[in-house]
Amino acid sequence: MRTLLLLAALPAALSAQAPRLKVPATVDTLPNGLTLIVHEDHSVPTVATNVWYLVGSGDEKVGRTGFAHLFEHVMFMGSQHAPYPEFDTRLEASGSSNNGTTNEDRTAYFESGPSNALPLMLWLEADRMGWLLPTMDLPKLDAQRDIVKNERRQSYENQPYGLSGDILPAALYPAGHPYSWNVIGSMADLSAASLDDVKDFFRTYYAPNNAVIVVAGAVRTDSVRRAVRQMFGDIPRGPAITRPTPPAFTVRDTVIVAEDRVQLPRVYLSWHAVKSFHADDAALDLVSYLLTGARNARLTNAMVYERELATSVNAFNGSKKLDGDFAVVATARPGKKLNELTAAIDEHLARLATEGPSARELQQARNAIEASFLNRLESVNAKADQLNNYYYLTGTADGFQADLDRYAAVSADDIKRVVNTYLKGPRVTLSVVPQGKKELAATRRTVQ
């Protein structure tokens, strides 16, 4: 916080003189369609690999949800030349670490460690890309299926307020939209996944022409190219993949009440917004900061500290590959009803839409986002992931400066416009209240 306040006080003219941010990277494509991005960073003797398979929960089908995340787990169950648990034990012995994540648009696998571990990292990734299928069997699938089911219980079904993760996607997006279900999938769909389903999923999506590998750190580009061609070059190309193109839609004003084993009522307000790198995406990011990004942000200051209506309030701009949404989530203090919270949120949204932010507020938001952005770049892991992200969403790996420029270009009028356009229209209002206390729920707005 001290750093952010200091940055907020800097004159805008100083930041305008800052050197242009450059993260040089090469992009190559192998004959089998595998894309390789290499960034040399010799500041410390470490390396990161970041493999994105361009498949997420948005590529699943109704009745077959949860496959992308389930498959992330299966990928650590061993391959033909590195049987379980060698993927982990070999990397750990080299001083490296690894993990994976899944979201609506992609599944990512990453390793980091000393730079001399790069050949091992690439070999392990190549072996599971090319030679996982011969080792896949029902016991492995069942073991990971049980782990994912337990993760679902811990994160959603037995987690206070966790049921919102199932309710909101289905309420905000129309049936069949790629973002209309929870990334982790439904328990019924996870139970129904057969070994053939999972093998078909691998053949379709885990092919080199649907993957991008980023290598960042203390490496030489030419030697990385040779190693990747040697290890991945024999893996055959898979079928061509076309991501779904969901039709345009309008959110209907919807009020939902759910009872849960919680002590305090919480309200979720969700609007349909824009996809990543849409012309209004950066302005909506700044709106989320202006509302709740700092101790003195509008909603945080008013609702948590001045009026003591809420124990917490957070705003999120959830832009994704195909579409996006914006949310404000607030938990009431004991004795407060959610209508009091939604009235306060609406009041501040209306004020921001009419008056816009002050010059100081807007500069603080820009500075805070820039500081957070630059802090993340201290790690080669984060740079590798961002290179993959920019390449996927914009087609240009080194999109760092262009990304920052988006925020610098947002004006107070832009803030007013996006609040008016996206956050004053129809929305989904979900109240999660203690069991037997529906009277605490938020009701439908009478004034837009």
Side-chain angles (χ1 to χ4, degrees), residues 27 29 35 37 212 386-397:
V27 180
T29 303
T35 298
I37 299 172
V212 181
Q386 277 292 8
L387 286 162
N388 234 332
N389 186 58
Y390 290 137
Y391 187 74
Y392 185 36
L393 295 177
T394 71
T396 300

Side-chain angles (χ1 to χ4, degrees), residues 45-68:
T46 60
V47 67
T49 60
N50 187 281
V51 184
W52 278 27
Y53 289 93
L54 307 184
V55 54
S57 63
D59 296 281
E60 298 161 352
K61 296 179 175 58
V62 175
R64 284 291 184 269
T65 62
F67 267 48

Side-chain angles (χ1 to χ4, degrees), residues 3-4 7 364-378 404:
T3 301
L4 298 186
L7 286 169
Q364 177 183 344
R366 289 197 197 104
N367 289 342
I369 287 176
E370 181 176 352
S372 174
F373 184 95
L374 295 176
N375 284 339
R376 290 199 304 273
L377 297 189
E378 292 178 355
L404 278 179

Side-chain angles (χ1 to χ4, degrees), residues 326-360:
F326 191 100
V328 177
V329 182
T331 305
R333 282 185 178 274
K336 302 298 181 183
K337 291 186 177 181
L338 294 183
N339 272 346
E340 298 177 77
L341 276 65
T342 57
I345 293 167
D346 285 337
E347 173 192 335
H348 282 276
L349 288 177
R351 191 176 299 169
L352 192 58
T354 303
E355 303 169 358
S358 69
R360 182 179 178 82

